[in-house]
């Protein structure tokens, strides 16, 4: 009851006077080949679905020219170009000018076999002119002779993450350069961070302060109720403002307004 695939070649059997008196043929069993072809077709369909529906951009390019030869829908979303537009472009055209040299150097290392793949953060220039930060993981497909035939890259859009990181970096720079003392503690009062202004004001280095409790600054000028009220306000998730008389590392006193 199984299905068998055959390749058939037939021809006529001719009598001496040229009349067709029959036929003759050769049949080849190609069932295994057809099964392999069907399996390959299913595999290609699955690959196509994975390629098109991937949550990251996937793109193939000609390693000699940098011309895009295949892109998925996510790649179009990242760059703002349609697939047809991308296939008319080369990789360097989309890469930010400041990133092109580094991009090329890393690519050539992979071509020379000095690295199995190329991983980098770089910037694309979108169709609307905005920058898109991407994380690129690229490798090379080679033929039987070892010559590069295609590049395949998985491209993740990290623009939002980079913007958040840049915002954090700016905030950190502002805190580090502030002339006011900035100290962060956990809810038990253990110092987790102190900025350079703290060192100048208190005389303690940050290395000395980290892991300590701010009580090392106590001057004895405030009673226990003063600190109890401060922590009671903080534990209600409210902002405390007050006036401290603290003691430096060398024993001298100093005053500060604190929030």
């Amino acid at each position: 009851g199984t299905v068998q695939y055959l390749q058939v070649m037939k021809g006529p059997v001719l009598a001496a006077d040229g009349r067709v008196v029959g036929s003759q043929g050769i049949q080849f069993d190609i069932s295994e080949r057809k099964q392999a072809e069907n399996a390959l077709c299913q595999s290609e369909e699955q690959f196509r679905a994975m390629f098109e529906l991937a949550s990251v951009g996937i793109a193939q390019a000609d390693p000699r020219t940098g011309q895009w030869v295949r892109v998925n829908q996510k790649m179009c979303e990242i760059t703002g170009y349609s697939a047809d537009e991308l296939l008319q472009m080369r990789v360097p055209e989309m890469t930010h000018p400041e990133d092109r040299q580094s991009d090329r150097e890393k690519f050539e290392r992979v071509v020379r076999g000095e690295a199995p793949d190329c991983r980098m953060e770089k910037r694309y220039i979108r169709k609307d002119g905005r920058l898109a930060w991407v994380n690129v993981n690229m490798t090379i497909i080679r033929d039987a002779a070892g010559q590069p035939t295609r590049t395949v890259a998985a491209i993740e859009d990290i623009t939002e993450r980079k913007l958040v990181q840049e915002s954090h970096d700016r905030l950190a720079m502002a805190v580090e350069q502030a002339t006011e003392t900035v100290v962060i503690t956990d809810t038990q009062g253990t110092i987790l961070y102190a900025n350079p202004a703290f060192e100048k004001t208190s005389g303690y280095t940050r290395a000395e302060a980290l892991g300590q409790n701010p009580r090392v600054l106590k001057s004895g000028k405030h009673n226990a109720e003063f600190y109890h009220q401060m922590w009671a306000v903080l534990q209600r998730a409210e902002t405390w403002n007050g006036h401290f008389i603290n003691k430096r590392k060398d024993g001298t006193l100093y005053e500060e307004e604190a929030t």
Side-chain angles (χ1 to χ4, degrees):
T2 59
V3 175
Q4 185 180 34
Y5 288 91
L6 303 172
Q7 183 175 8
V8 182
M9 293 183 289
K10 285 184 177 290
V13 176
L14 303 177
D17 58 3
R19 289 179 300 108
V20 177
V21 296
S23 67
Q24 60 183 355
I26 302 174
Q27 297 183 151
F28 298 94
D29 186 348
I30 60 169
S31 299
E32 290 186 3
R33 191 182 79 191
K34 289 296 290 184
Q35 291 171 359
E37 289 175 354
N38 290 339
L40 179 61
C41 182
Q42 292 178 359
S43 177
E44 289 177 344
E45 290 176 355
Q46 291 172 355
F47 170 77
R48 189 177 299 110
M50 292 172 60
F51 183 90
E52 291 299 334
L53 301 176
S55 59
V56 298
I58 302 178
Q60 298 179 358
D62 186 327
R64 295 161 298 183
T65 64
Q67 184 91 23
W68 297 112
V69 295
R70 188 174 184 180
V71 296
N72 70 347
Q73 182 57 39
K74 188 64 177 180
M75 183 65 175
C76 297
E77 294 176 12
I78 292 172
T79 63
Y81 289 96
S82 69
D84 289 340
E85 289 173 324
L86 285 173
L87 297 183
Q88 301 300 315
M89 301 175 68
R90 297 168 56 249
V91 177
E93 293 178 57
M94 294 180 52
T95 302
H96 191 282
E98 295 178 2
D99 297 339
R100 288 174 187 168
Q101 181 63 29
S102 173
D103 195 2
R104 186 68 189 175
E105 290 173 356
K106 292 178 180 179
F107 170 74
E108 289 177 350
R109 289 189 67 239
V110 178
V111 173
R112 293 193 299 265
E114 297 173 3
D117 54 28
C118 176
R119 304 184 184 201
M120 72 187 92
E121 288 186 2
K122 59 184 284 190
R123 290 164 290 180
Y124 282 150
I125 301 175
R126 289 172 46 88
K127 184 177 181 179
D128 60 12
R130 293 185 295 123
L131 293 182
W133 275 97
V134 292
N135 186 12
V136 179
N137 187 354
M138 185 274 293
T139 190
I140 289 182
I141 298 175
R142 301 178 186 270
D143 60 20
Q147 296 301 310
T149 59
R150 289 281 178 91
T151 66
V152 180
I155 299 152
E156 178 189 8
D157 187 349
I158 59 170
T159 304
E160 184 175 349
R161 189 172 77 200
K162 290 291 289 188
L163 293 176
V164 170
Q165 183 60 51
E166 289 174 359
S167 177
H168 288 174
D169 291 344
R170 285 192 294 270
L171 175 61
M173 181 173 63
V175 171
E176 283 284 297
Q177 297 181 8
T179 56
E180 296 85 2
T181 294
V182 178
V183 178
I184 299 175
T185 77
D186 64 16
T187 54
Q188 304 304 312
T190 302
I191 297 175
L192 304 177
Y193 169 83
N195 71 342
F198 170 85
E199 296 180 311
K200 184 177 180 180
T201 301
S202 70
Y204 289 95
T205 67
R206 285 193 278 188
E208 292 172 322
L210 294 182
Q212 298 295 323
N213 189 287
R215 68 172 64 95
V216 298
L217 303 175
K218 281 186 176 181
S219 62
K221 300 295 183 179
H222 305 290
N223 58 27
E225 182 61 22
F226 174 86
Y227 296 106
H228 176 76
Q229 289 180 355
M230 178 189 74
W231 279 105
V233 170
L234 295 176
Q235 289 170 352
R236 293 197 301 269
E238 298 173 2
T239 300
W240 180 87
N241 295 279
H243 184 87
F244 278 128
I245 301 175
N246 283 336
K247 182 171 66 175
R248 295 187 180 90
K249 183 180 179 180
D250 64 7
T252 59
L253 301 182
Y254 66 99
E255 298 185 39
E256 59 185 3
E257 297 294 332
T259 301

